[in-house]
Amino acid sequence: MQTTAPRISRQMQENELKSYALLIWRWLWLIILCAVVAAITAFVGSRLATPIYQASATLLINEAPSPSTASYTDILTSERLASTYSQMMTQRPILVQVAEELGLSPDIFETDVTAIQVSSVRDTQLVRVNVEGVDPALVMTVANTLPLIFIDKMQEIQTARYASSKQSLQEQLTLLTGQITETKNQIDAMGPPQSSADNVTRSRLEEALTQYQSSYTGLLQNYETLRLTEAQSVDSISVVEPAILPENPIRPRTLNNTLLAMIAGAMLALGVVFLIEYLDDRVRSPDELSELLGAPWLGVIAAMPDVDDKVFDSRRLITQQQPRHPISESFRTLRTNLQFSSLDTSLHSLIFTSANPGEGKSTLAANLAVVMAQMGRRVVLVDADLRRPVQHKIFELRRSPGLTDALLNDEWE
């Protein structure tokens, strides 16, 4: 028991694989046709498509140094800063400035330049700028100009935070410079003191000059400190790899598109084939019929050659006219199987029927009757098709009297 189950399971798997292989083989022409049509369509479409070129530039972003020790938060901040700059670089105002710098209309970013992608390189401070378009020289120029415009814009934004403080200090330094100059001129104009009053005035002026100079020194120190703070708090953005002129287009990829379309076409055809087979409820083989009905099949009769489906005559009696023909042998095999299928009970009558007309039941019954008679059996062949009887045509006999006459005529009892 333990060794039989796996053997049956393997046999069932082999039968399923064989059925799938036969199914694919039967529909191989459709699979190949769909694959070839899809490949040709993709190839022609790729050849007719406008080529797209790509130029790339790489930027290095150095975040302003933190006064404290670097931590994991600073690393996350740097990555977010690179991501933020990536988003800001493709904003409309930056693109307009790029177009003005190149002396072109901003509409080029909707026609000639098909795409601009700015992305940060993972776990680095690098930002890559990819520009795609139909003109290789234009995409290279845009890829090199866009970072420069963005660098100037960011420096302008970052330095604007200290502009008001620097301007205020500069105004105070200018005022003190004027006061120092004026006080020095007053001291020089007095000359040597002539009286005690002159000494008092000179002392007052010198004391004021000292205060002015001390205030100037303090303001100048604050100004330099502010400049140093500004320099340390401004992020540094530099181009580490400028874009070069692209030689080959990145799209369309004719070979890749053709191969992918061929695979997609074959897979689509394969799916259609499985769908057709799933929806097809026709019986295609004796084994399938035996599996559906739960009964063994007794024989298979091939289609007769050179026989018109609409003409019924003696040429259909192939067992009588060509007894050595393979089809005649098939009828004898059917006769033998019928005999062995009824060993327990005697076989006296057979009924032939079919689901649709024209499926060969009359021809089958006539030839089986012939081979039964050839082995010495007494055979009565009754044509029970009251609408379109054809047995009299096959055996070339008179149509009447027939089955209806026998049923209605009392003298035949």
Side-chain angles (χ1 to χ4, degrees):
M1 295 296 292
Q2 295 179 355
T3 58
T4 304
R7 187 180 305 169
I8 295 176
S9 178
R10 286 195 298 269
Q11 184 177 3
M12 293 178 61
Q13 293 177 358
E14 292 177 359
N15 291 336
E16 289 182 359
L17 293 176
K18 184 182 296 184
S19 62
Y20 288 142
L22 292 176
L23 174 62
I24 295 175
W25 176 257
R26 187 167 68 249
W27 291 93
L28 186 61
W29 64 272
L30 179 61
I31 298 174
I32 295 177
L33 177 63
C34 291
V36 171
V37 171
I40 293 176
T41 303
F43 178 80
V44 174
S46 299
R47 298 291 293 181
L48 296 178
T50 303
I52 302 297
Y53 296 86
Q54 183 186 69
S56 301
T58 305
L59 282 68
L60 175 63
I61 298 178
N62 290 319
E63 186 186 7
S66 176
S68 60
T69 305
S71 61
Y72 180 70
T73 305
D74 297 331
I75 298 176
L76 293 179
T77 302
S78 299
E79 294 181 358
R80 292 175 181 175
L81 182 63
S83 179
T84 301
Y85 285 170
S86 301
Q87 297 295 326
M88 294 177 60
M89 202 173 298
T90 56
Q91 296 299 317
R92 182 68 180 177
I94 302 295
L95 299 181
V96 171
Q97 291 186 17
V98 172
E100 293 177 353
E101 180 70 18
L102 299 178
L104 301 174
S105 171
D107 295 337
I108 62 170
F109 296 104
E110 298 177 359
T111 55
D112 297 339
V113 178
T114 58
I116 298 179
Q117 298 177 352
V118 183
S119 58
S120 58
V121 181
R122 184 178 179 86
D123 298 332
T124 65
Q125 295 176 278
L126 299 177
V127 172
R128 184 169 290 113
V129 180
N130 296 324
V131 181
E132 299 178 3
V134 297
D135 187 357
L138 178 61
V139 297
M140 180 194 67
T141 305
V142 172
N144 288 327
T145 306
L146 178 60
L148 300 179
I149 297 297
F150 181 74
I151 291 172
D152 295 339
K153 184 66 175 178
M154 292 308 301
Q155 289 180 350
E156 179 183 348
I157 294 175
Q158 293 180 352
T159 56
R161 295 179 297 174
Y162 301 92
S164 59
S165 299
K166 290 172 60 178
Q167 182 178 1
S168 177
L169 290 175
Q170 287 178 351
E171 292 177 353
Q172 295 180 29
L173 289 173
T174 302
L175 179 60
L176 287 174
T177 301
Q179 291 177 346
I180 291 173
T181 303
E182 183 181 356
T183 303
K184 286 183 177 180
N185 292 334
Q186 291 178 0
I187 293 174
D188 293 338
M190 289 183 61
Q194 300 296 327
S195 62
S196 58
D198 293 340
N199 288 331
V200 173
T201 302
R202 187 179 182 89
S203 298
R204 183 176 55 81
L205 292 175
E206 289 177 352
E207 183 179 356
L209 178 61
T210 303
Q211 292 178 354
Y212 291 153
Q213 290 176 344
S214 177
S215 299
Y216 183 85
T217 303
L219 288 176
L220 183 60
Q221 184 178 0
N222 292 337
Y223 183 78
E224 294 298 332
T225 302
L226 182 62
R227 291 182 57 188
L228 179 60
T229 303
E230 178 185 5
Q232 291 178 347
S233 61
V234 174
D235 300 328
S236 173
I237 306 175
S238 59
V239 179
V240 295
E241 184 180 1
I244 61 175
L245 183 66
E247 297 180 357
N248 300 317
I250 61 170
R251 291 193 305 272
R253 299 178 180 178
T254 304
L255 180 59
N256 292 346
N257 293 344
T258 303
L259 293 178
L260 291 177
M262 181 182 298
I263 296 174
M267 295 299 294
L268 179 61
L270 192 61
V272 172
V273 166
F274 280 108
L275 179 61
I276 292 175
E277 290 295 327
Y278 177 77
L279 298 177
D280 188 6
D281 57 355
R282 293 178 296 177
V283 179
R284 297 182 177 274
S285 65
D287 294 332
E288 185 177 355
L289 179 61
S290 177
E291 182 180 356
L292 291 174
L293 299 180
W297 55 277
L298 300 177
V300 178
I301 309 299
M304 295 183 182
D306 302 329
V307 174
D308 191 354
D309 295 338
K310 298 181 180 179
V311 177
F312 293 89
D313 52 21
S314 60
R315 287 178 298 178
R316 291 182 177 269
L317 294 176
I318 190 171
T319 54
Q320 181 179 5
Q321 297 185 358
Q322 303 181 42
R324 298 186 180 276
H325 196 278
I327 297 180
S328 300
E329 184 63 29
S330 299
F331 278 105
R332 286 190 288 270
T333 302
L334 176 59
R335 177 192 64 189
T336 304
N337 291 337
L338 285 173
Q339 291 176 346
F340 282 99
S341 66
S342 59
L343 295 177
D344 297 335
T345 58
S346 299
L347 182 64
H348 295 288
S349 61
L350 294 174
I351 299 177
F352 294 88
T353 185
S354 63
N356 297 310
E359 293 185 347
K361 52 184 176 292
S362 299
T363 304
L364 177 63
N367 284 278
L368 186 59
V370 171
V371 295
M372 287 287 189
Q374 288 175 350
M375 65 174 296
R377 301 287 297 271
R378 297 181 61 186
V379 181
V380 177
L381 177 61
V382 179
D383 192 348
D385 190 347
L386 302 181
R387 296 182 58 192
R388 290 181 295 181
V390 295
Q391 294 294 346
H392 66 284
K393 298 180 181 179
I394 296 177
F395 287 94
E396 297 180 353
L397 300 174
R398 291 184 304 121
R399 181 174 181 179
S400 58
L403 177 62
T404 305
D405 298 327
L407 295 176
L408 298 179
N409 194 343
D410 296 337
E411 297 179 358
W412 287 47
E413 297 181 353

